Amino acid sequence: MGDIVTIFDTTLRDGEQSPGCSMNAKEKLIMAKQLEKLGVDIIEAGFPSSSPGDFESVQQIGHELKGPKVVGLCRAGDDDIDAGVNALKGSFNWGIHTFIATSDLHLKSKLNIDRKTAVEKAVKAVSRAKKHTDHVEFSAEDATRSDPGFLVEIFSEVVKAGATVLNVPDTVGYITPAEFHQLLIRLKNEVYHADNVIFSVHCHNDLGLAVANSLTAVEAGARQVECTINGIGERAGNASLEEIVMALKVRNQHFQVDTNIISEQLFQSSRLLTKLTGTVIQANKAIVGANAFAHEAGIHQAGIIKNALTYEIMKPESVGVSVNQLVLGKHSGRAALNTKINSLGYEVSDTELRNIFKKFKKLADKKKIVYDEDLEVLLMEERSSGVEKYKLVSVNVTSGTETIPTATVILEVDGKRLPAKASLGDGPVDAAFNTIREIVNIPCVLTAFVIKAVTGGTDAQGTVSVSIEWEGIKASGRGSHTDIVVASARSFVNALNRLDLFVQTRLVNEEDHDEIGGI
Ligand code: KIV
Ligand code: ZN
């Protein structure tokens, strides 16, 4: 067995920070529990000083999870470090991740400080955090556009102050694999007491090189990789966890390192995230995309039948893609439903099972077969139904070749049922959206609309994903139903709830916003 590479998951921080991927505290906790099941070593649960909502969410995750270490991101300043410590102290296993920019560009244009001040701030932040926890990670933001000599200097100083992990972020996804390899080797050779600390990397995907850069860094001796499920994150995203983990696993003889990840949980983790955030991944996405294990060409199919190894370098089951879909129908009972839910990797309470069973029966009456995906939709609906501002009570539409599409909608807003309202539109979905917009009085713009059948057949549930934008704030939402207009209305209301959450947890002051936007 080779060295273990620590998998540091930042889906709930860097990932969640990206437009359209916001989650509420309940959704973040659901995701954190799945990450625990997946076996990640460290979860970056959020940025405690960025908003009271993030503080509470980091606190809750830190106090509930017993497996992975939970860390919070803090800028190199007293208030940020204190917010991180206050959120996490009393947690089972926790640490602090602090950072400051090190490139001259960031120092001058963003922070307006010189290199000496940056070192002083970094050392002060690490020392302050170290008084409360043994695990202190320091990141040199924009490391790959920083003077390598200065990186050696600042990393050496923070090691002396007690940092245990040194993170080298490719913040803007700029470096190439060969350059990154060289940089890591130099840092490992020149930083003070380099053998006593862990080198970590955090790669963004602006040039599509995040995974390649992370892997080359492992070859150069990095023993922690920061990544996100489905590669979500700022702009083009972060390095994708599932791709890194499977590359290290499938090409184990080449890399000679292992991870603690239970790869059979990868697919479920990916699916859960798409359901919670409402963002879809492309069908040809490696490891978890819908086509990742689909063989279309006849010649490939023939090869696969004779010997799967001809065109498959890993088994679908190894990443949790189930090959035989066992199906339930309207005669299935509660016990069968529970067994099925468990086989999909979920555990539900008696109350959850009762509620899901009711919805399952309704769905089974409409569809002959209820597939795994249908069940997951029901499960997610049950789990993410929290206290939300807007609730769709009903939507009815008239449309056709001889009529102007009209939708009548009833909504509950803050628990109060409002009178029905009707509006026209270019089509039934447009009419439903117009009516909802008028009721909530938010003139948001629809920026994306994707409709997908969850399973095959004309009785399939449709899942609609939408993105909306209002006053520069973006949010996405998702809704499912056998009627696509209802699915669309649900997705729109879901997006409005996320928009509302985003507005409520908006950063407390604009200065903070500017700087956080630069991460
Ligand atoms: O991309 C980045 O530089 C970051 C750091 C805060 C680690 O997210
Ligand atoms: Zn980042």
Side-chain angles (χ1 to χ4, degrees):
M1 182 155 156
D3 280 358
I4 292 285
V5 171
T6 298
I7 299 296
F8 175 116
D9 180 278
T10 184
T11 306
L12 301 177
R13 198 279 297 169
D14 216 330
E16 204 256 353
Q17 209 169 288
S18 61
C21 287
S22 56
M23 287 175 254
N24 63 30
K26 199 169 168 187
E27 292 166 333
K28 278 185 154 191
L29 185 62
I30 295 171
M31 193 64 217
K33 288 188 175 164
Q34 176 59 32
L35 292 173
E36 180 172 38
K37 236 179 176 177
L38 176 64
V40 307
D41 303 283
I42 301 182
I43 293 178
E44 185 163 57
F47 196 158
S49 73
S50 67
S51 72
D54 230 28
F55 180 95
E56 278 162 32
S57 173
V58 172
Q59 188 169 45
Q60 190 182 26
I61 293 169
H63 284 72
E64 288 218 15
L65 263 51
K66 297 202 173 69
K69 192 184 286 294
V70 177
V71 303
L73 182 69
C74 312
R75 282 164 299 187
D78 291 356
D79 291 349
D80 263 47
I81 299 288
D82 293 350
V85 169
N86 289 334
L88 285 164
K89 65 176 181 233
S91 300
F92 291 99
N93 185 6
W94 64 283
I96 291 291
H97 175 194
T98 185
F99 73 99
I100 198 162
T102 49
S103 65
D104 289 333
L105 178 66
H106 277 229
L107 289 178
K108 224 183 260 163
S109 313
K110 192 179 81 174
L111 300 177
N112 195 22
I113 58 173
D114 57 15
R115 289 183 180 187
K116 189 166 161 280
T117 313
V119 175
E120 282 163 10
K121 279 175 172 277
V123 165
K124 195 160 172 244
V126 169
S127 316
R128 195 171 180 95
K130 192 72 184 191
K131 289 196 189 113
H132 303 276
T133 173
D134 282 343
H135 184 96
V136 180
E137 169 172 336
F138 172 75
S139 284
E141 191 192 4
D142 205 20
T144 54
R145 292 191 300 169
S146 305
D147 168 9
F150 179 54
L151 284 181
V152 171
E153 181 190 336
I154 195 164
F155 278 146
S156 297
E157 292 310 312
V158 296
V159 170
K160 290 178 201 157
T164 47
V165 181
L166 300 178
N167 186 34
V168 190
D170 185 24
T171 304
V172 289
Y174 178 75
I175 207 158
T176 66
E179 291 167 331
F180 206 33
H181 192 276
Q182 220 177 8
L183 177 63
L184 262 294
I185 296 283
R186 172 158 180 197
L187 294 173
K188 280 199 65 107
N189 283 336
E190 295 183 21
V191 169
Y192 174 80
H193 278 190
D195 288 344
N196 298 341
V197 291
I198 294 194
F199 279 87
S200 165
V201 291
H202 173 114
C203 299
H204 280 267
N205 204 29
D206 299 67
L207 293 174
L209 294 172
V211 170
N213 281 332
S214 305
L215 292 173
T216 199
V218 169
E219 288 174 325
R223 286 296 174 262
Q224 174 173 295
V225 176
E226 302 194 356
C227 43
T228 60
I229 300 289
N230 295 342
I232 66 167
E234 285 282 339
R235 306 177 309 278
N238 287 65
S240 140
L241 181 149
E242 56 278 2
E243 292 176 23
I244 291 171
V245 165
M246 289 315 287
L248 295 179
K249 186 168 174 165
V250 172
R251 301 302 313 278
N252 187 263
Q253 289 204 337
H254 171 78
F255 290 105
Q256 311 239 330
V257 293
D258 296 297
T259 71
N260 290 320
I261 295 295
I262 299 159
S263 64
E264 291 76 10
Q265 288 289 329
L266 284 171
F267 189 59
Q268 197 183 325
S269 307
S270 160
R271 291 260 295 272
L272 177 63
L273 184 68
T274 58
K275 291 198 171 80
L276 291 174
T277 59
T279 48
V280 244
I281 49 170
Q282 83 267 21
N284 63 338
K285 162 90 177 64
I287 317 295
V288 290
N291 291 348
F293 295 96
H295 301 277
E296 185 72 29
I299 191 167
H300 287 200
Q301 287 174 349
I304 285 278
I305 291 163
K306 287 184 190 130
N307 180 349
L309 290 177
T310 49
Y311 289 101
E312 238 169 42
I313 58 164
M314 58 196 145
K315 287 189 185 307
E317 301 92 301
S318 70
V319 302
V321 172
S322 76
V323 270
N324 328 308
Q325 292 234 340
L326 297 173
V327 290
L328 296 178
K330 69 174 177 183
H331 300 298
S332 311
R334 199 182 301 189
L337 177 67
N338 197 24
T339 310
K340 182 74 190 175
I341 290 174
N342 293 158
S343 79
L344 293 174
Y346 300 98
E347 273 162 39
V348 287
S349 67
D350 288 348
T351 320
E352 283 176 327
L353 182 62
R354 225 180 358 258
N355 295 341
I356 295 168
F357 188 65
K358 272 191 217 146
K359 291 184 185 164
F360 160 74
K361 280 286 175 188
K362 267 195 190 164
L363 185 64
D365 265 344
K366 290 191 196 153
K367 301 185 69 189
K368 275 198 220 71
I369 294 171
V370 178
Y371 291 95
D372 294 359
E373 290 86 346
D374 295 318
L375 279 184
E376 282 184 320
V377 168
L378 297 185
L379 193 75
M380 275 326 111
E381 278 174 6
E382 171 63 21
R383 294 219 157 148
S384 57
S385 61
V387 198
E388 292 186 319
K389 191 171 177 72
Y390 308 110
K391 191 167 165 230
L392 181 72
V393 178
S394 65
V395 54
N396 289 290
V397 289
T398 48
S399 71
T401 49
E402 308 299 327
T403 179
I404 299 176
T406 312
T408 309
V409 175
I410 301 181
L411 283 191
E412 259 178 30
V413 179
D414 290 327
K416 193 164 159 253
R417 193 180 174 121
L418 302 184
K421 207 170 173 91
S423 285
L424 309 177
D426 288 338
V429 171
D430 188 46
F433 287 1
N434 287 343
T435 318
I436 294 170
R437 245 190 230 111
E438 275 179 36
I439 298 176
V440 300
N441 197 19
I442 297 177
C444 57
V445 179
L446 181 73
T447 53
F449 177 88
V450 179
I451 182 156
K452 223 178 137 205
V454 175
T455 53
T458 49
D459 63 352
Q461 284 212 86
T463 289
V464 174
S465 304
V466 295
S467 299
I468 57 174
E469 193 168 343
W470 177 69
E471 293 197 342
I473 308 171
K474 295 178 182 148
S476 40
R478 204 174 155 107
S480 302
H481 198 269
T482 46
D483 180 320
I484 56 162
V485 179
V486 181
S488 305
R490 283 186 173 178
S491 69
F492 199 67
V493 171
N494 185 235
L496 284 167
N497 277 315
R498 288 171 191 283
L499 190 80
D500 176 62
L501 168 82
F502 218 73
V503 173
Q504 280 178 36
T505 56
R506 220 174 188 176
L507 304 173
V508 255
N509 77 48
E510 287 304 318
E511 271 172 42
D512 278 358
H513 201 178
D514 285 350
E515 204 182 316
I516 291 162
I519 295 168

